[in-house]
């Protein structure tokens, strides 16, 4: 018995694959069309998926829909989160937001700007590190450009401490963590230290936009 897998939005039906033997078999061409439609409805008609980013987007889609066989071929571990890196303006945040729409039948992650977390820490203190360290699935968006946290005169590398806290529960207890960043591995180590960088290797799949990916905001 086979049926269509579709998402209905704004009076439109988007067929993204077929359900066979209780498993969704996705049509990745249809997924890309849906993501572009969704991006245009959210960000405006100028939103497009650039062909130069095709490999990056394909890997992210395979991971998001949890296609185990494909992810194995691509070297992606579904037990780990996503470390999404790329140049400024390449579309990391927009894409990580849009991908959640592919899986309305599953609990997904919140996308939280790293700077907002630091601002909350500056107001509420170390409770914020505990809260995010123990939170459900999250994407820490745009890490590396947030200011240093400061509470009662004491500096704190807030995002680094949250990552360590989440690692200490990793796996199988901790819900997945994802991050987006403009930084490369060496810059991550300089910003957060070798302790955080070494833990990241065990927590994340690295997916990167090409270095010559266009600035979509221009």
């Amino acid at each position: 018995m086979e049926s269509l897998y579709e998402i209905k939005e704004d009076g439109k039906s988007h067929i993204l694959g077929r359900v066979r033997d209780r498993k969704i078999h996705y049509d990745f061409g249809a997924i890309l069309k849906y993501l572009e439609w969704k991006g245009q409805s959210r960000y405006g008609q100028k939103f497009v998926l650039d062909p130069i980013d095709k490999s990056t987007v394909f890997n992210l889609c395979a991971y998001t829909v949890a296609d185990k066989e494909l992810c194995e071929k691509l070297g992606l571990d579904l037990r780990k989160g996503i470390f999404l890196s790329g140049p400024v303006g390449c579309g990391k945040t927009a894409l990580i937001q849009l991908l959640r729409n592919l899986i309305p039948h599953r609990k997904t992650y919140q996308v939280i700007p790293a700077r907002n977390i630091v601002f909350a820490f500056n107001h509420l203190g170390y409770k914020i590190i505990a809260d995010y360290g123990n939170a459900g699935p999250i994407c820490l968006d745009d890490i590396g450009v947030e200011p240093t946290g400061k509470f009662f005169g004491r500096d704190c590398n807030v995002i680094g401490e949250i990552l360590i806290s989440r690692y200490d529960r990793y796996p199988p207890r901790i819900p997945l963590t994802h991050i987006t960043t403009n930084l490369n591995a060496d810059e991550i180590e300089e910003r957060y230290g070798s302790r955080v960088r070494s833990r990241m290797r065990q927590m994340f799949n690295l997916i990167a936009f090409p270095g010559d990916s266009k600035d979509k905001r221009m």
Side-chain angles (χ1 to χ4, degrees):
M1 186 76 176
E2 183 175 281
S3 60
L4 298 177
Y5 174 66
E6 59 183 332
I7 295 176
K8 294 182 179 180
E9 289 185 59
D10 299 333
K12 295 191 65 173
S13 175
H14 304 270
I15 298 172
L16 302 186
R18 296 181 178 274
V19 181
R20 191 167 55 250
D21 299 326
R22 302 180 66 182
K23 179 182 178 182
I24 302 173
H25 298 265
Y26 287 92
D27 178 337
F28 284 93
I31 284 177
L32 295 180
K33 289 180 181 178
Y34 168 71
L35 287 176
E36 194 158 84
W37 174 85
K38 187 68 177 177
Q40 289 173 355
S41 66
R42 179 165 183 170
Y43 301 112
Q45 292 300 309
K46 290 185 177 180
F47 180 91
V48 294
L49 296 175
D50 196 314
I52 199 173
D53 302 327
K54 182 178 180 180
S55 177
T56 302
V57 176
F58 181 76
N59 285 7
L60 287 167
C61 289
Y63 174 90
T64 301
V65 302
D67 187 319
K68 294 181 180 179
E69 292 182 6
L70 185 53
C71 283
E72 187 173 338
K73 291 178 182 178
L74 296 170
L76 299 173
D77 187 339
L78 292 172
R79 297 169 298 179
K80 297 181 178 182
I82 292 297
F83 179 111
L84 182 59
S85 66
V88 173
C90 67
K92 298 181 295 297
T93 299
L95 194 52
I96 209 76
Q97 291 274 19
L98 292 173
L99 287 166
R100 297 183 297 170
N101 296 282
L102 295 177
I103 48 173
H105 55 290
R106 291 191 354 228
K107 182 179 180 180
T108 188
Y109 49 88
Q110 299 181 67
V111 181
I112 308 161
R115 67 181 183 278
N116 290 5
I117 296 175
V118 175
F119 294 155
F121 172 85
N122 292 345
H123 179 61
L124 298 172
Y126 290 86
K127 176 182 182 297
I128 293 298
I129 293 174
D131 288 348
Y132 283 105
N134 292 301
I138 58 174
C139 175
L140 303 173
D141 185 39
D142 208 15
I143 76 165
V145 297
E146 76 279 359
T148 299
K150 188 178 289 289
F151 188 68
F152 279 95
R154 294 180 61 186
D155 288 349
C156 179
N157 192 327
V158 177
I159 299 301
E161 292 298 327
I162 289 171
L163 287 170
I164 289 173
S165 294
R166 292 180 73 81
Y167 173 85
D168 287 342
R169 296 172 59 213
Y170 177 83
R173 297 177 301 278
I174 181 66
L176 288 174
T177 309
H178 308 296
I179 60 177
T180 72
T181 184
N182 303 327
L183 305 185
N184 60 35
D186 290 338
E187 291 167 331
I188 286 286
E189 182 168 351
E190 182 178 350
R191 180 72 172 78
Y192 298 106
S194 58
R195 188 170 59 140
V196 171
R197 181 179 177 180
S198 68
R199 285 158 174 74
M200 283 183 167
R201 294 190 184 100
Q202 299 176 62
M203 292 176 69
F204 297 110
N205 298 285
L206 174 60
I207 297 180
F209 278 83
D212 55 351
S213 184
K214 299 175 184 176
D215 187 339
K216 314 301 192 299
R217 296 181 294 197
M218 294 180 65

